[in-house]
Amino acid sequence: MSRRFLLLFSLLCAGLYAVVAGQPAPSAPAAGSLRWFKGNTHTHTLNSDGDSTPDEVVRWYRENRYNFVVLTDHNFLTDVTALNAVHGADEKFLVIKGEEVSSRFDSKPLHINGLDVSRRIEPLSGSSVADALQKNVDAIRAADGVPHINHPNFGWAITADELATVRNNRLFEIYNGHPRVNNLGGNGHPGLEEIWDTLLSRGVELYGIAVDDAHHFKRLGDLSSSRPGMGWVVVRAPRLEARAILAAMERGDFYASTGVELSDYRVADGTMTVSIDPVPTSGYRIRFIGKGGTVLEDVQGPTATYRIKGTEGYVRAKVIESNGKQAWMQPVMVGR
Ligand SMILES: [Zn+2]
Ligand SMILES: [Zn+2]
């Protein structure tokens, strides 16, 4: 987000969810002290099936102007103390520890990231997909971590019905940069965005994140590899510190992106406004979406405002750039 909008955004957005959703945002920080931080919450190193050392992976994100990265190897918790001593910088860059808790039910891979867990989690199995998901989410929470459910369509492992049963989980991947995770569905299975709308329509308040799930930092030109720089989140938080970042994400105070950068996003006085830092050679569509995935309004151009009626069930915004890049704002639940 460009600097000139920071103050405006901060002032206008303090009561974002409180105003529209009609409920308080109890742990929301005061306006005027908030900044945007770009980060990736899902990446691998040689500590599982990545091709590069933790130092090389962290260096890539630091040099590519991210503000934070979470190292999430399969069933392995990397100590990030020394990495932060080398690469960390106050309010500029932070390495957060994490683990991709990787279990399965039958042949279905069930992967849940535990962000900032206090200890390594042993993956748990269960009597069903939903049961195994819940047990691992509970284990992550018990270790003071923040869970996010990964690539539901990888191996067609997790359905909307199963996601809807999981308690104490707010985040799931609507975009994952790995080439074999079926973000868009297929084979009779819905895409992740359709799954998201199905869940939101049922009143299941989940926030959608975009991640790299990067494994290959030495094959950056190979489109069949899982490369960094594919998907990320931009989080609005009072400071660059693990707990502040994760709390903001669990409040839905972030957007997910595969390349679009916002200059302004606000929900106030019954309106939702989205503005983009436009690339001159690109065109943009801003789409406001409600219950059942209904397109409420579809606007061409780099800025749009939607007036919330109160009957939509939820409202979320999405930006589509003419080159295919996208950004997803988090839903605001209305009329409940
Ligand atoms: Zn995975
Ligand atoms: Zn992964």
Side-chain angles (χ1 to χ4, degrees):
M1 172 164 288
S2 58
R3 273 177 200 284
R4 68 200 147 101
F5 284 110
L6 276 175
L7 180 62
L8 174 69
F9 183 92
S10 298
L11 290 172
L12 289 172
C13 282
L16 188 159
Y17 296 98
V19 168
V20 175
Q23 56 192 15
S27 54
S33 58
L34 300 168
R35 291 182 51 210
W36 289 98
F37 298 103
K38 176 179 177 177
N40 173 35
T41 61
H42 189 168
T43 196
H44 294 270
T45 78
L46 282 172
N47 288 337
S48 61
D49 52 354
D51 71 357
S52 298
T53 62
D55 179 74
E56 290 169 315
V57 169
V58 168
R59 189 180 297 273
W60 189 94
Y61 287 97
R62 179 73 165 113
E63 291 180 346
N64 283 276
R65 300 286 170 187
Y66 283 64
N67 299 113
F68 68 93
V69 64
V70 191
L71 299 184
T72 54
D73 276 301
H74 297 286
N75 303 328
F76 190 91
L77 184 61
T78 300
D79 186 337
V80 300
T81 310
L83 292 164
N84 270 319
V86 174
H87 300 288
D90 280 354
E91 298 303 306
K92 292 180 186 295
F93 190 76
L94 174 71
V95 188
I96 299 174
K97 62 186 182 302
E99 173 186 347
E100 185 171 13
V101 181
S102 307
S103 72
R104 47 178 65 239
F105 178 78
D106 290 339
S107 61
K108 295 175 175 175
L110 306 178
H111 295 180
I112 307 176
N113 273 9
L115 309 180
D116 201 34
V117 281
S118 59
R119 59 179 180 274
R120 193 184 84 85
I121 312 282
E122 191 64 39
L124 299 167
S125 54
S127 58
S128 64
V129 167
D131 183 50
L133 288 173
Q134 191 63 60
K135 283 187 169 137
N136 287 294
V137 163
D138 291 348
I140 289 165
R141 290 288 188 195
D144 301 317
V146 168
H148 71 63
I149 295 178
N150 299 346
H151 45 58
N153 277 347
F154 178 46
W156 310 115
I158 308 170
T159 64
D161 284 342
E162 287 156 345
L163 280 170
T165 68
V166 182
R167 300 176 305 279
N168 298 321
N169 179 74
R170 273 284 181 194
L171 305 168
F172 87 117
E173 291 177 355
I174 54 161
Y175 175 88
N176 177 305
H178 194 288
R180 294 200 307 275
V181 294
N182 305 308
N183 291 319
L184 300 177
N187 251 355
H189 299 272
L192 297 179
E193 208 170 338
E194 188 179 339
I195 288 175
W196 195 19
D197 283 314
T198 297
L199 292 165
L200 293 170
S201 299
R202 293 188 200 169
V204 181
E205 195 170 356
L206 279 180
Y207 301 134
I209 59 177
V211 303
D212 280 340
D213 198 359
H215 290 69
H216 305 128
F217 293 78
K218 293 185 163 54
R219 297 161 51 191
L220 296 178
D222 178 357
L223 300 187
S224 70
S225 68
S226 65
R227 298 161 292 152
M230 304 291 286
W232 57 85
V233 290
V234 186
V235 183
R236 191 174 68 105
R239 62 192 177 281
L240 184 57
E241 182 270 323
R243 288 291 139 177
I245 293 288
L246 298 180
M249 288 182 70
E250 292 215 281
R251 284 196 301 273
D253 235 349
F254 71 97
Y255 66 92
S257 179
T258 57
V260 176
E261 185 180 357
L262 301 189
S263 58
D264 189 13
Y265 171 62
R266 61 177 183 267
V267 182
D269 299 328
T271 62
M272 180 180 286
T273 298
V274 179
S275 298
I276 300 135
D277 249 351
V279 175
T281 52
S282 277
Y284 296 90
R285 301 187 80 90
I286 300 174
R287 201 166 274 173
F288 297 93
I289 296 164
K291 193 168 185 174
T294 305
V295 177
L296 304 165
E297 211 164 289
D298 193 338
V299 178
Q300 287 206 25
T303 185
T305 295
Y306 177 77
R307 180 160 291 283
I308 296 170
K309 299 171 183 67
T311 55
E312 295 93 337
Y314 64 91
V315 179
R316 66 180 182 89
K318 171 185 180 179
V319 180
I320 306 159
E321 193 174 341
S322 52
N323 59 11
K325 292 175 178 173
Q326 301 185 64
W328 298 267
M329 276 40 70
Q330 300 311 314
V332 173
M333 309 304 276
V334 296
R336 289 192 305 156

